[in-house]
Amino acid sequence: MWNKTKFTELVNINLPIVQGPFGGKLSSVLLTSTVSNAGGLGSFGCQPFYANEITDIATQIRQNTSKPFNLNLWVNDKDENAKDFDKQAFEKVVQIFQPYFEEVGTEPPTYPLPESPTFENQIEAIFKVKPLVFSFVYGIPSDDILEKCRQLNILTVGTATTLDEAIAIENAGIDAVVATGLDAGGHRVSFLEKPEDSLVGTFSLVPQVADHVKIPIIAAGGIADARGVKASFALGAHAVQIGTAFLATQESGTSNIHREKLFSTAARYTTLTKAFTGRLSRGLRNRLTEELKTFQEAFAPYPLQGKIAGKLGAYPANTESNPDLKALWAGQAAPLLKYHHAKQVIENIIDAM
């Protein structure tokens, strides 16, 4: 049976389908619980939230499903050069964005920029709520954190953009690995090399990982229907993680503007940009990404860039704001999207397998 794999056995779910965990407040309790209730693994991206908020989110998910679910965090929550980002550097970035602030009629942010949640704070919520699955990007948690997860019976899932990262994840004793290719929407979550030097396609990455690691492999990037699922399994994956197809559904936390774009011809054209958060991310091309192409290395480090671009309504992407100036995350398989509800995405995969 196609749906009985090392990953479904590990997590005790019926379908080897993982919903991508969306940061930027694009995840929703409804989507997470809908996917879990359908037999897959629903996920919630907790990157923008403090520990007390994560606790509340987990409570809400459990009110909507008794099935396993996944909470996701960013291990590396701040770029190294963020500590050196002074007022002078801030003013240079604001100057780049000044014409756009004037266009939308808003004042730029003021220095210093507000603090963001930290991984150190957020991980305490994971220990408290004990989801069956804790996944993470941008690195590997400390040995102490991984050991505590084992003691609490929390399964861990790391995310790799290269073979070297996948091997490092297995060597750390992590339970499963997401092999995410450059086709995927959202952030490029590399941690051993720069994202620009870690751009391996999903269907090149998965078989490499399959040849070198023994833990379950979850293929991610460029998978929107049963054809991508079949290809992933043929190359050695034990599950798939589907992002954009679930992001486009009515159950997700994104904006109606974003959904409309994902079902339009605009979905054919994606790009990698740092304009919205300071970290390399894949989204739909729009005026902001194209006009600021030459400024990629001039933006503020993460998470500060998001606080500047956010004043345009650009980020988080769940706001109903000008799509020309907005973060519209999307993977390269976005032109394949057909379904407006999460159950339809899952049912149509099942029917075609």
Side-chain angles (χ1 to χ4, degrees):
M1 295 289 287
W2 73 274
N3 58 318
K4 301 299 181 186
T5 73
K6 284 168 62 174
F7 184 74
T8 59
E9 290 176 4
L10 175 70
V11 186
N12 192 27
I13 55 176
N14 294 328
L15 298 172
I17 297 173
V18 180
Q19 170 233 320
F22 313 126
K25 299 186 177 179
L26 299 183
S27 290
S28 77
V29 169
L30 178 58
L31 179 59
T32 303
S33 54
T34 297
V35 173
S36 288
N37 284 332
L41 183 67
S43 305
F44 198 105
C46 296
Q47 158 261 340
F49 300 101
Y50 288 94
N52 62 311
E53 295 174 300
I54 296 171
T55 300
D56 290 342
I57 288 164
T59 298
Q60 292 175 49
I61 294 171
R62 286 193 167 116
Q63 289 170 348
N64 286 272
T65 184
S66 60
K67 302 293 182 64
F69 62 90
N70 163 42
L71 297 183
N72 178 273
L73 291 177
W74 293 18
V75 177
N76 180 356
D77 56 45
K78 184 179 293 186
D79 285 349
E80 190 174 342
N81 58 341
K83 63 181 183 297
D84 302 320
F85 189 73
D86 57 17
K87 188 173 183 180
Q88 185 177 4
F90 165 78
E91 289 173 349
K92 287 182 179 178
V93 179
V94 168
Q95 188 174 9
I96 295 170
F97 281 82
Q98 187 61 42
Y100 303 103
F101 292 134
E102 293 174 1
E103 178 180 334
V104 302
T106 190
E107 292 295 318
T110 56
Y111 186 87
L113 294 164
E115 293 292 321
S116 295
T118 64
F119 178 72
E120 184 180 29
N121 167 268
Q122 294 168 323
I123 193 64
E124 294 303 321
I126 301 297
F127 297 150
K128 181 178 180 180
V129 303
K130 293 182 282 192
L132 182 65
V133 179
F134 163 47
S135 70
F136 39 86
V137 296
Y138 284 118
I140 298 173
S142 67
D143 290 342
D144 289 346
I145 289 174
L146 294 175
E147 179 56 32
K148 189 160 186 179
C149 287
R150 294 184 197 102
Q151 292 172 3
L152 295 172
N153 295 315
I154 300 170
L155 296 172
T156 52
V157 178
T159 309
T161 65
T162 64
L163 174 58
D164 288 343
E165 290 179 351
I167 291 171
I169 285 167
E170 181 175 59
N171 288 344
I174 293 162
D175 295 300
V177 59
V178 177
T180 178
L182 66 84
D183 351 31
H187 287 82
R188 302 306 308 138
V189 294
S190 307
F191 63 91
L192 289 183
E193 303 287 347
K194 294 193 302 183
E196 294 87 347
D197 297 331
S198 307
L199 298 176
V200 185
T202 302
F203 298 114
S204 294
L205 179 61
V206 170
Q208 292 179 47
V209 176
D211 284 351
H212 289 85
V213 309
K214 295 182 172 60
I215 57 176
I217 300 163
I218 305 161
I223 303 165
D225 58 25
R227 290 173 293 181
V229 177
K230 291 176 181 177
S232 299
F233 288 169
L235 295 173
H238 306 98
V240 295
Q241 180 169 286
I242 297 175
T244 308
F246 282 126
L247 182 61
T249 66
Q250 292 297 317
E251 291 84 3
S252 86
T254 196
S255 64
N256 289 324
I257 291 170
H258 194 173
R259 291 188 187 94
E260 289 169 8
K261 289 289 184 181
L262 289 173
F263 286 106
S264 76
T265 55
R268 300 174 186 173
Y269 312 106
T270 67
T271 189
L272 290 167
T273 182
K274 294 182 178 179
F276 298 113
T277 69
R279 286 186 175 177
L280 196 67
S281 312
R282 183 175 296 283
L284 301 182
R285 293 183 200 169
N286 60 13
R287 184 156 64 87
L288 196 72
T289 67
E290 298 311 288
E291 290 180 356
L292 297 183
K293 266 186 173 179
T294 59
F295 293 93
Q296 292 300 302
E297 301 310 314
F299 297 133
Y302 181 87
L304 304 175
Q305 177 65 23
K307 300 177 190 301
I308 297 172
K311 292 287 284 186
L312 300 173
Y315 192 80
N318 62 349
T319 53
E320 300 291 350
S321 52
N322 184 348
D324 286 335
L325 306 176
K326 184 179 186 62
L328 299 168
W329 307 134
Q332 290 184 325
L336 304 177
L337 302 186
K338 294 180 181 178
Y339 305 110
H340 295 267
H341 292 281
K343 282 186 178 179
Q344 292 176 314
V345 174
I346 295 171
E347 288 169 356
N348 279 274
I349 290 173
I350 293 170
D351 290 345
M353 293 300 290

